[in-house]
Amino acid sequence: MKNYVLVIDGDLNTCKEIKYNLQDEYTDVYYTGSIQEALQIMEKENCSLVILDACIYQYDGTALIQQIRQMNPLPILALSETAGTADKVAALKCGADDVLNKPYDLEECLARAQALMRRYTQLNHITGRNYALVSHGNLMLDTARRQVTIDDETVILTKKEYDLLLYFIKNRNRVLAFEQIYTAVWHEEYLMDNSTIFYQVGNLRRKLKADWIETRYGMGYFIHNPGEL
């Protein structure tokens, strides 16, 4: 089964250069300078990688990265002509997996693209099975096998720890009330006792080193994007 790569860049030469050097019998590469067309391609094709210009047509690159990340957990390689340290950190926090300065070395660009795609396809078992993945920074959940990895290392969770983690990640960037959490994860009537939730969250923080789970005292929890705290 082929891998599909999408290049989003207003520079046609950049698009063609990446396409004709990355494309082979195992990989098809699409390219476009239109954000709307790019989103349509992503809805249609099961892409394994997006390579994008972080400043396409003066569009807010971090907003585009966030929009793509909400649609799909696939890896994102951002290209930028102005990426200083602060810009790179912003792109990574918004969901990019790697940032490369323009003008880039073609061999380095291809190597980074292939490494990101290889990691994604291996985790997603694209060559034989199509599992849904949910990502949160360097953490990846294989929802079909209920498997959690951090930097490709498997983390062993109990059934309830996994259910709670998946619920947290699917509802990030919002306050989650104790009653809301308990009802969604335990599927039982909430009786104002939060000790079970506290215990499971404590286990997740310890096993995942999850500093992105913020306690909102008297309310519940807020799930940040990795690196925000």
Side-chain angles (χ1 to χ4, degrees):
M1 185 173 179
K2 279 197 172 186
N3 297 322
Y4 296 94
V5 177
L6 174 60
V7 181
I8 311 170
D9 199 307
D11 184 349
L12 189 60
N13 291 330
T14 296
C15 291
K16 289 182 176 180
E17 180 180 53
I18 295 175
K19 174 181 173 66
Y20 296 128
N21 285 280
L22 186 59
Q23 184 164 288
D24 57 26
E25 59 182 312
Y26 303 108
T27 305
D28 276 345
V29 180
Y30 300 96
Y31 64 81
T32 180
S34 164
I35 293 172
Q36 182 177 0
E37 184 181 2
L39 296 176
Q40 290 174 347
I41 292 173
M42 287 188 61
E43 290 177 353
K44 179 182 177 181
E45 300 293 345
N46 184 25
C47 295
S48 302
L49 173 68
V50 168
I51 303 173
L52 61 84
D53 183 347
C55 300
I56 183 169
Y57 298 144
Q58 304 303 313
Y59 186 85
D60 185 349
T62 56
L64 177 58
I65 291 170
Q66 287 178 322
Q67 188 171 0
I68 293 173
R69 178 59 67 231
Q70 290 171 358
M71 294 175 61
N72 198 307
L74 83 175
I76 300 171
L77 172 59
L79 307 177
S80 176
E81 295 180 354
T82 60
T85 300
D87 294 325
K88 289 182 178 180
V89 170
L92 293 169
K93 282 185 176 181
C94 287
D97 295 274
D98 200 357
V99 181
L100 189 61
N101 284 349
K102 284 184 174 182
Y104 54 80
D105 178 83
L106 179 60
E107 288 189 11
E108 181 183 5
C109 179
L110 297 177
R112 292 191 186 203
Q114 289 164 346
L116 289 171
M117 189 164 47
R118 181 171 60 250
R119 177 188 175 197
Y120 179 74
T121 54
Q122 286 175 347
L123 283 172
N124 206 21
H125 300 271
I126 284 178
T127 54
R129 291 162 290 180
N130 188 18
Y131 289 150
L133 298 183
V134 178
S135 66
H136 193 66
N138 63 347
L139 182 149
M140 192 81 71
L141 285 80
D142 182 332
T143 60
R145 295 191 301 169
R146 298 177 63 87
Q147 180 176 329
V148 178
T149 59
I150 297 179
D151 292 328
D152 299 333
E153 295 292 329
T154 300
V155 180
I156 304 300
L157 299 180
T158 66
K159 179 182 182 302
K160 197 56 66 178
E161 289 167 356
Y162 176 89
D163 292 342
L164 182 59
L165 174 62
L166 181 61
Y167 179 74
F168 275 169
I169 292 179
K170 285 187 173 181
N171 293 277
R172 55 192 145 194
N173 296 317
R174 55 184 293 196
V175 175
L176 302 173
F178 294 124
E179 181 177 0
Q180 184 180 2
I181 295 168
Y182 192 85
T183 302
V185 177
W186 276 265
H187 307 289
E188 298 175 359
E189 182 183 357
Y190 178 65
L191 299 176
M192 304 295 292
D193 181 2
N194 298 322
S195 58
T196 301
I197 299 176
F198 294 156
Y199 175 76
Q200 298 293 352
V201 170
N203 287 343
L204 285 181
R205 283 173 166 160
R206 175 175 54 82
K207 292 183 178 182
L208 305 177
K209 298 180 174 57
D211 58 355
W212 38 265
I213 303 176
E214 178 190 353
T215 301
R216 294 290 175 91
Y217 292 99
M219 299 173 61
Y221 295 95
F222 186 92
I223 309 306
H224 290 270
N225 290 321
E228 284 186 348
L229 288 176

